[in-house]
Amino acid sequence: MVKIAIHGAGSIGCFVGGVWAAAGLDVTLIGRDYVGDTIGENGMTLTDYAGFSAHIDPHGIAFSTDPAALENTEIIGLAVKSTGTENAAAEIRTHAKKGAIVVSLQNGISNVETLRALLPDQTVLAGMVPFNVVAMEGGRWHKGTLGVLMADRHSALQPIVEAADGGPAALELRDDMTSVAWGKLLLNLNNALNALSGHTLYEELSDRGYRRVLSACIREALIVLAAANINPAKVSAFPPKWLPHFVGSPNFIFNTIGLKLQKIDKHARSSMADDFEAGRATEIDFLNGEVVRIAQAQGLDAPINAKIVELVKAAEAGGQKNWSSNALVQSVLK
């Protein structure tokens, strides 16, 4: 049986690795002490918005805090924050065998390029996680939004495709992962707004004020991407060019259709909101900051996304959080 390691077993890593283990795959989770303690005490309970539920006993899945556990694994799902990519690459380079498959399950665009430069002895594939996961009390990880995992097409991933088929961590292999990554980034522009709002995703997206800011972020990003000849793929219910219009639509339209189409339940929140709560550095430079970077490379400005970067960095430094939708609109769209 193929040996799989999930390096960076936080919320996403635990859910994906746990569901794959529950499907019969040989999975080792590599993460922090507190995650191991939680699993050791409770086991793992995996749930989703559609009613899926699985439980793994405390000894039913391997867990380690030591990256040496990467030895002899054939597939490594990398789920560390974008800010930890270089450190994780050094650990993989030290411990993983030559020829191992590394699948980046990270947010942002540039991680795959960075990993390929740092890991010449491994095969690096792009992956995309379109859903949110909340770590809940009692060793429960809950998938709170719609979405199917995607990755570059490679024969080594076929055992995962077959084992996980039909489950909440099913894997779809694609030939257009660069476009997929940009399509996902458009959706991830909401991560910062959700964190700044202090609300769950359901509460935040139910408020048209927040969605007006998100619509403006996406619209600006689409202009920047068009200038750079980048075509984002459709990774949600709507094609990218329609997103700003639908996101900015009145509540009676969006709240009736949009929230249901995305299957957003009332537990879901963005990973950046978790970072705010834990006092960690965020991935803002790899999300809205990526739009700003591409704009600058094209000789353009991206003032709306730049403002979001500024507000998040200020919040990281102890500045204002829990922005009302009206205040955010006034600050960003004035």
Side-chain angles (χ1 to χ4, degrees):
M1 182 182 296
V2 62
K3 293 181 68 64
I4 302 166
I6 302 295
H7 190 20
S11 295
I12 291 292
C14 281
F15 183 82
V16 172
V19 171
W20 287 355
L25 291 165
D26 183 354
V27 178
T28 297
L29 301 177
I30 302 173
R32 302 191 180 198
D33 285 328
Y34 72 90
V35 178
D37 292 342
T38 296
I39 294 173
E41 182 178 347
N42 303 282
M44 300 185 75
T45 299
L46 300 314
T47 59
D48 78 353
Y49 61 86
F52 171 87
S53 183
H55 182 77
I56 302 173
D57 291 335
H59 301 294
I61 188 168
F63 184 92
S64 178
T65 59
D66 187 349
L70 294 167
E71 294 176 0
N72 300 318
T73 57
E74 296 154 270
I75 299 173
I76 300 167
L78 186 61
V80 302
K81 295 287 187 181
S82 297
T83 51
T85 297
E86 293 187 3
N87 286 340
E91 292 170 342
I92 292 170
R93 191 167 58 245
T94 299
H95 298 290
K97 66 182 181 180
K98 292 183 178 181
I101 304 294
V102 179
V103 184
S104 171
L105 300 175
Q106 302 164 278
N107 285 330
I109 301 298
S110 59
N111 290 307
V112 171
E113 180 181 343
T114 299
L115 289 167
R116 285 175 178 160
L118 295 174
L119 299 174
D121 292 330
Q122 284 78 34
T123 297
V124 176
L125 305 178
M128 189 275 286
V129 182
F131 48 78
N132 294 88
V133 173
V134 179
M136 306 178 75
E137 292 184 0
R140 177 184 171 196
W141 286 266
H142 179 76
K143 174 183 173 181
T145 57
L146 183 70
V148 175
L149 286 169
M150 298 179 187
D152 279 320
R153 191 177 304 281
H154 195 288
S155 59
L157 300 182
Q158 195 59 37
I160 299 176
V161 173
E162 294 171 2
D165 185 42
L171 179 63
E172 177 183 339
L173 304 185
R174 303 273 297 226
D175 298 313
D176 61 343
M177 282 303 298
T178 298
S179 293
V180 166
W182 283 107
K184 170 68 185 313
L185 185 133
L186 293 177
L187 301 181
N188 275 350
L189 297 179
N190 187 56
N191 282 19
L193 304 184
N194 179 245
L196 290 168
S197 77
H199 296 304
T200 66
L201 279 169
Y202 189 94
E203 292 166 339
E204 176 236 332
L205 289 172
S206 296
D207 186 326
R208 192 185 182 199
Y210 294 120
R211 296 199 317 275
R212 284 182 59 201
V213 179
L214 175 59
S215 175
C217 287
I218 296 173
R219 185 178 294 109
E220 182 178 80
L222 287 171
I223 293 170
V224 168
L225 296 186
N229 293 314
I230 296 170
N231 297 308
K234 176 179 177 289
V235 296
S236 68
F238 293 93
K241 67 179 181 180
W242 292 4
L243 280 175
H245 308 289
F246 186 64
V247 166
S249 64
N251 283 340
F252 75 88
I253 296 176
F254 186 87
N255 293 357
T256 302
I257 301 173
L259 293 177
K260 291 182 179 179
L261 283 174
Q262 286 301 110
K263 307 293 185 184
I264 299 173
D265 74 17
K266 296 184 179 180
H267 295 298
R269 61 183 183 179
S270 74
S271 58
M272 196 174 294
D274 292 335
D275 292 336
F276 269 19
E277 184 174 320
R280 295 187 296 256
T282 73
E283 297 179 300
I284 190 65
D285 288 332
F286 299 88
L287 300 175
N288 304 72
E290 194 74 48
V291 175
V292 176
R293 184 183 68 80
I294 295 294
Q296 291 171 343
Q298 300 301 313
L300 301 174
D301 293 322
I304 295 171
N305 282 281
K307 183 64 176 180
I308 297 300
V309 173
E310 176 188 324
L311 294 181
V312 169
K313 287 185 177 293
E316 288 178 329
Q320 183 175 347
K321 300 176 184 177
N322 299 326
W323 286 75
S324 71
S325 59
N326 287 338
L328 201 60
V329 167
Q330 290 298 313
S331 179
V332 178
L333 304 184
K334 61 183 178 182

